[in-house]
Amino acid sequence: MFAECLEHVRKKSPLIHNITNYVTVNDVANAELACGASPIMADEPDEVEDIQTICDGLNINIGTLNKRTVGSMHIAGERALALHHTLLLDPVGAGASRLRTQTAVELADSLQFDVIRGNMSEIKALTTGSSTTKGVDADAADAVTDENLDSMAEFAKKCAAAFHTIVSITGAIDLVADPQRCFVIRNGRPEMSRITGTGCQLSGIMTAYVAANRDNALAAAAAAVVLMGASGEVGWSHMQEGDGNATYRNRIIDAICNMDGKTLDSMAVYEIR
Amino acid sequence: MFAECLEHVRKKSPLIHNITNYVTVNDVANAELACGASPIMADEPDEVEDIQTICDGLNINIGTLNKRTVGSMHIAGERALALHHTLLLDPVGAGASRLRTQTAVELADSLQFDVIRGNMSEIKALTTGSSTTKGVDADAADAVTDENLDSMAEFAKKCAAAFHTIVSITGAIDLVADPQRCFVIRNGRPEMSRITGTGCQLSGIMTAYVAANRDNALAAAAAAVVLMGASGEVGWSHMQEGDGNATYRNRIIDAICNMDGKTLDSMAVYEIR
Amino acid sequence: MFAECLEHVRKKSPLIHNITNYVTVNDVANAELACGASPIMADEPDEVEDIQTICDGLNINIGTLNKRTVGSMHIAGERALALHHTLLLDPVGAGASRLRTQTAVELADSLQFDVIRGNMSEIKALTTGSSTTKGVDADAADAVTDENLDSMAEFAKKCAAAFHTIVSITGAIDLVADPQRCFVIRNGRPEMSRITGTGCQLSGIMTAYVAANRDNALAAAAAAVVLMGASGEVGWSHMQEGDGNATYRNRIIDAICNMDGKTLDSMAVYEIR
């Protein structure tokens, strides 16, 4: 199943428009290229409609937002919706400042995203900061564990229902949910948290995966999570003495670049709840 | 010939001011350092005149342009011209949005560039979007091949004549032309297109090469193209099992860093038409 | 002594807010993660107070300053002071443009920094551009050598006294001074100057080191310098044939990631004047 999603990305090579932070933007571009997609970055209000028009998807990441680029996010998002392009939100740092929380909430309220992807704290900030009509009971703690997995999966489904979208909550255990089903994925390595930008890369890749698999969006989003985690495992297996987080960063993107569908399916560790 | 150009860069260590996109900016800086130049990045209108004054060249790359930085490009460009510094335009994404096409055309119309470097689509957008007084018959298809090489080389020369500049059109086969002569260069690897920023790096390096070889600008621009391509070949020869586009990115810059003149001349695959 | 500083960073994992340039920002983030800290980047005036509030320190780097971010630097800096957070200034390029010199001077005059870190030219521009009430006699030449070491160490102490701060002047020989004592550090490799961003990385790491060792700030700042230099030595020892500045960049961050206190103390080459 995941193999098919991967092959569609490699065959269709979707063009992804990224309005993303300047910290990890280079890795996002190389990760999208590695998975078979083509990236373009553009954040000026005057051009984002034109750019989105020629693309297949839009990846909005609020990591280093400013007033100019927040405006661009809304303009480009409206255009993506009008053209039925794939639309993903990565609410980086929602909860860390009022501006981020508010921006994430306004984007989620005004644009119909195909996927919202973040860590548990960001997704909780998004849901609790939201207007009460979309209120989600976010009493879950921040880490998904075997002990709280049932309630966390339920929380992910409720978020998905509240925002009429797919919600992907990533951490040690990753969740990818629509209102009915939740993929629980156990790929990846704890050392990935010592690298900046694996989440941003995943959002870029996920946009490409959903764009190339519109009829199978939930599985495609899950496939992107499996790809990132499995590539983290493959990359780790290539680490040598003296290597650290900078080399690991490269090894993960390398593994994305070399991944094939058969390996992806064989490495996937997941269940559906 | 190319060896001499390389050695001038390493000896003079030109200081290059880059107004460039935030996607590939780090690689541009490291590639300029690798080739023997010194980079400085500055894009605020209030300081670009001062910065350009202490530099030897200006590399303008419109990859993630915004209104503020477009203004800076014009201010810095005027200053570079007044001081007879080397001036290069990389019209990244010209044709992808009206803002990019218009910005590229306005820059090319108002500033006398020493070199304009882009892929065929960008150069075509620049010429067809230009005012008719500079109209170039851009009916060429986008890929330079053995079949259309004569007409493509002719197109490159006409562009060079129209803009009174050197034009470098890079792809599987690279062209570097002034109105009279066109270098046709066949170095490089197809896998370089799986990395973001090799074109941006080339523009940065080319600015340094022309700045350090003012009396021999066409050969210097060609030398930069050969350097990038040959480094792509050397870098590829160091790839090991499990390596992918992230490691290849590093290997190419490493090869630029280690290139010497003798190797450059021996690896060059080119003809002049 | 340095070992203890390192271990405090790894144990406390300080959260560092960086307002820094877009050239080296990714390396700064990965270097901070490598040393055991957590980075966050935010430069929008509307959110920097909120972000600084949840952090332990602020790293201000003027490398690609613009009017918007200069405002953010002052706002965030005031907040850091009010909360007694660690505050560091890296006056990148002070002296290269009036805007940079003026911005560095205004920041240093209006905010009480814990540390100011730069190369000799930047520190001299900062002191000579300053209002006369803080005038420091900056007749020192730009390179610290064995011949001028006494006067350079004296200069560093005077700068520290003038700005009521720790001053770190890095180059072939590194100085870290308060008004009474000056650490003279001889770790590192000359090849580090062929990589963009080692200074920026050091500033990020130094902010974390001082934040995690508030009672021992001078030694902590010196420990960060030793860490960077020793990691440059370790990274160089892992270089293989064909490797160049791009791979060296990764090897240095890898070495920061793998450094332990015992190794740090054993590798430190320093004296106190």
Side-chain angles (χ1 to χ4, degrees):
Chain A
M1 172 181 55
F2 299 139
E4 192 183 25
C5 296
L6 178 150
E7 281 146 22
H8 285 168
V9 175
R10 296 220 184 266
K11 194 195 296 184
K12 297 179 185 175
S13 194
L15 182 56
I16 305 303
H17 176 192
N18 301 277
I19 303 179
T20 187
N21 69 74
Y22 57 79
V23 184
T24 63
V25 59
N26 184 268
D27 291 334
V28 170
N30 275 326
E32 289 181 349
L33 284 163
C35 84
S38 290
I40 187 165
M41 279 62 181
D43 66 18
E44 174 65 11
D46 268 12
E47 75 160 350
V48 291
E49 280 191 303
D50 282 0
I51 296 292
Q52 181 51 226
T53 300
I54 60 169
C55 287
D56 302 295
L58 175 62
N59 171 30
I60 296 178
N61 174 311
I62 66 169
T64 51
L65 81 180
N66 62 52
K67 282 178 189 167
R68 180 177 62 80
T69 55
V70 169
S72 300
M73 291 170 191
H74 282 279
I75 294 168
E78 293 290 352
R79 187 76 185 149
L81 282 182
L83 296 171
H84 306 291
H85 291 175
T86 296
L87 188 55
L88 180 143
L89 173 65
D90 186 339
V92 177
S97 76
R98 283 162 290 188
L99 178 64
R100 292 195 189 212
T101 307
Q102 181 189 337
T103 298
V105 167
E106 287 175 3
L107 285 165
D109 280 350
S110 62
L111 297 171
Q112 177 55 56
F113 285 93
D114 291 289
V115 192
I116 299 175
R117 194 214 67 81
N119 63 35
M120 182 59 82
S121 301
E122 292 159 353
I123 300 299
K124 283 171 68 178
L126 185 62
T127 54
T128 57
S130 172
S131 63
T132 51
T133 53
K134 281 192 178 170
V136 170
D137 193 7
D139 57 6
D142 274 11
V144 179
T145 63
D146 283 318
E147 284 67 40
N148 65 20
L149 186 52
D150 276 336
S151 67
M152 288 301 195
E154 200 56 34
F155 170 72
K157 288 180 190 174
K158 281 186 182 170
C159 289
F163 289 103
H164 306 289
T165 187
I166 293 166
V167 168
S168 172
I169 302 172
T170 52
I173 299 174
D174 302 311
L175 307 177
V176 183
D178 68 12
Q180 286 79 41
R181 292 178 303 163
C182 180
F183 281 79
V184 177
I185 299 167
R186 294 167 192 268
N187 289 102
R189 295 276 318 178
E191 293 84 0
M192 296 173 80
S193 65
R194 293 287 294 275
I195 305 169
T196 189
T198 50
C200 302
Q201 291 174 43
L202 175 54
S203 289
I205 290 169
M206 195 180 281
T207 310
Y209 265 64
V210 173
N213 296 277
R214 295 302 299 268
D215 297 338
N216 201 13
L218 183 66
V225 172
V226 172
L227 171 64
M228 196 75 210
S231 297
E233 295 168 27
V234 171
W236 188 256
S237 74
H238 286 106
M239 295 285 279
Q240 296 172 358
E241 185 174 335
D243 288 351
N245 64 333
T247 290
Y248 190 30
R249 180 259 305 265
N250 295 314
R251 292 258 160 252
I252 295 172
I253 298 176
D254 286 351
I256 295 168
C257 187
N258 291 318
M259 187 64 68
D260 59 60
K262 194 175 162 188
T263 307
L264 188 68
D265 269 345
S266 73
M267 293 187 68
V269 181
Y270 74 101
E271 59 182 306
I272 299 174
R273 294 214 175 188
Chain B
M1 174 180 54
F2 299 140
E4 193 183 23
C5 296
L6 177 150
E7 281 146 21
H8 285 170
V9 175
R10 294 218 184 269
K11 194 195 296 184
K12 297 180 184 173
S13 194
L15 183 56
I16 305 302
H17 175 191
N18 303 277
I19 303 180
T20 188
N21 69 74
Y22 57 78
V23 185
T24 64
V25 59
N26 185 266
D27 291 335
V28 169
N30 275 326
E32 288 181 350
L33 284 163
C35 83
S38 289
I40 186 165
M41 278 64 181
D43 65 18
E44 175 64 10
D46 268 12
E47 75 160 349
V48 290
E49 281 191 303
D50 282 0
I51 297 292
Q52 181 50 227
T53 300
I54 61 169
C55 287
D56 302 295
L58 175 63
N59 171 31
I60 296 179
N61 174 310
I62 66 169
T64 50
L65 81 179
N66 62 53
K67 282 179 190 167
R68 180 177 62 79
T69 56
V70 169
S72 300
M73 292 171 191
H74 282 278
I75 294 168
E78 293 289 354
R79 187 76 185 149
L81 281 182
L83 296 169
H84 306 290
H85 291 174
T86 296
L87 187 54
L88 181 144
L89 173 65
D90 186 339
V92 177
S97 75
R98 282 163 291 188
L99 178 64
R100 291 194 190 212
T101 307
Q102 180 189 336
T103 298
V105 168
E106 287 175 3
L107 286 165
D109 280 349
S110 62
L111 297 171
Q112 177 53 56
F113 285 93
D114 293 288
V115 193
I116 299 175
R117 194 214 67 80
N119 63 35
M120 182 59 82
S121 302
E122 291 158 353
I123 301 299
K124 284 172 68 177
L126 186 61
T127 55
T128 56
S130 173
S131 63
T132 52
T133 55
K134 281 193 179 170
V136 170
D137 192 8
D139 57 7
D142 274 10
V144 179
T145 63
D146 283 317
E147 285 67 39
N148 64 19
L149 186 51
D150 276 336
S151 67
M152 288 301 196
E154 201 55 37
F155 171 72
K157 288 179 192 174
K158 281 186 183 170
C159 288
F163 289 103
H164 306 289
T165 188
I166 293 166
V167 167
S168 173
I169 302 172
T170 51
I173 299 175
D174 300 312
L175 307 176
V176 184
D178 68 12
Q180 285 78 43
R181 291 178 303 164
C182 181
F183 281 79
V184 177
I185 300 166
R186 294 169 192 269
N187 287 103
R189 295 275 318 177
E191 294 83 358
M192 297 172 79
S193 65
R194 293 289 293 275
I195 305 168
T196 189
T198 51
C200 302
Q201 290 174 42
L202 175 54
S203 289
I205 290 170
M206 195 180 282
T207 310
Y209 265 64
V210 173
N213 296 279
R214 293 305 296 271
D215 298 337
N216 202 14
L218 183 65
V225 172
V226 172
L227 171 64
M228 197 73 211
S231 298
E233 296 169 27
V234 172
W236 189 256
S237 74
H238 286 105
M239 296 285 279
Q240 296 171 359
E241 186 174 334
D243 288 351
N245 64 334
T247 290
Y248 189 30
R249 179 259 305 266
N250 295 314
R251 291 259 161 250
I252 295 173
I253 298 176
D254 286 351
I256 295 168
C257 187
N258 291 320
M259 186 65 67
D260 59 60
K262 195 176 160 187
T263 308
L264 189 67
D265 269 345
S266 73
M267 291 187 69
V269 181
Y270 74 102
E271 59 182 307
I272 299 175
R273 294 214 176 187
Chain C
M1 173 180 54
F2 300 139
E4 192 183 25
C5 296
L6 178 149
E7 281 146 22
H8 285 169
V9 175
R10 296 219 184 268
K11 193 196 296 183
K12 296 179 184 174
S13 193
L15 182 56
I16 305 303
H17 175 193
N18 301 276
I19 303 180
T20 188
N21 69 74
Y22 57 78
V23 184
T24 64
V25 59
N26 184 267
D27 291 335
V28 169
N30 275 326
E32 289 181 350
L33 284 163
C35 85
S38 288
I40 186 165
M41 280 63 180
D43 66 18
E44 175 65 11
D46 268 12
E47 76 160 348
V48 290
E49 281 192 302
D50 281 1
I51 297 291
Q52 181 51 227
T53 300
I54 60 169
C55 287
D56 302 295
L58 175 62
N59 171 31
I60 296 179
N61 175 310
I62 66 169
T64 50
L65 82 179
N66 61 51
K67 282 178 189 167
R68 180 177 62 79
T69 56
V70 169
S72 300
M73 292 170 190
H74 282 279
I75 294 167
E78 293 290 353
R79 187 75 184 149
L81 282 182
L83 295 170
H84 307 290
H85 291 175
T86 296
L87 187 54
L88 181 142
L89 173 64
D90 186 339
V92 177
S97 76
R98 283 163 289 190
L99 178 64
R100 289 192 192 215
T101 308
Q102 181 189 336
T103 298
V105 168
E106 286 176 3
L107 286 165
D109 279 350
S110 63
L111 297 171
Q112 176 54 56
F113 285 93
D114 292 288
V115 193
I116 298 176
R117 195 214 67 80
N119 64 35
M120 182 59 80
S121 301
E122 291 159 353
I123 300 298
K124 283 172 69 178
L126 185 62
T127 55
T128 57
S130 174
S131 63
T132 52
T133 54
K134 279 192 179 170
V136 170
D137 192 9
D139 58 6
D142 274 11
V144 179
T145 64
D146 283 318
E147 285 67 39
N148 65 18
L149 186 52
D150 276 336
S151 67
M152 289 300 196
E154 201 55 35
F155 170 72
K157 288 179 191 173
K158 281 186 181 168
C159 288
F163 289 103
H164 305 290
T165 188
I166 293 167
V167 168
S168 173
I169 303 173
T170 52
I173 299 174
D174 302 311
L175 307 176
V176 183
D178 69 12
Q180 286 78 42
R181 291 178 304 163
C182 180
F183 282 79
V184 177
I185 300 166
R186 295 168 191 269
N187 288 102
R189 296 274 318 176
E191 293 83 359
M192 296 172 81
S193 64
R194 293 288 293 277
I195 306 170
T196 190
T198 51
C200 302
Q201 291 174 43
L202 175 54
S203 289
I205 291 170
M206 195 180 281
T207 310
Y209 265 63
V210 173
N213 295 278
R214 292 303 298 269
D215 297 338
N216 201 14
L218 183 66
V225 171
V226 172
L227 171 63
M228 196 75 210
S231 297
E233 296 169 26
V234 172
W236 189 255
S237 74
H238 286 104
M239 295 285 278
Q240 297 172 358
E241 186 175 334
D243 289 351
N245 64 334
T247 291
Y248 190 29
R249 179 258 304 267
N250 294 315
R251 292 258 160 251
I252 295 172
I253 298 175
D254 285 352
I256 295 168
C257 187
N258 290 320
M259 186 64 68
D260 59 60
K262 195 177 162 186
T263 306
L264 188 68
D265 270 344
S266 73
M267 291 187 70
V269 181
Y270 75 101
E271 59 182 307
I272 299 175
R273 294 214 176 186

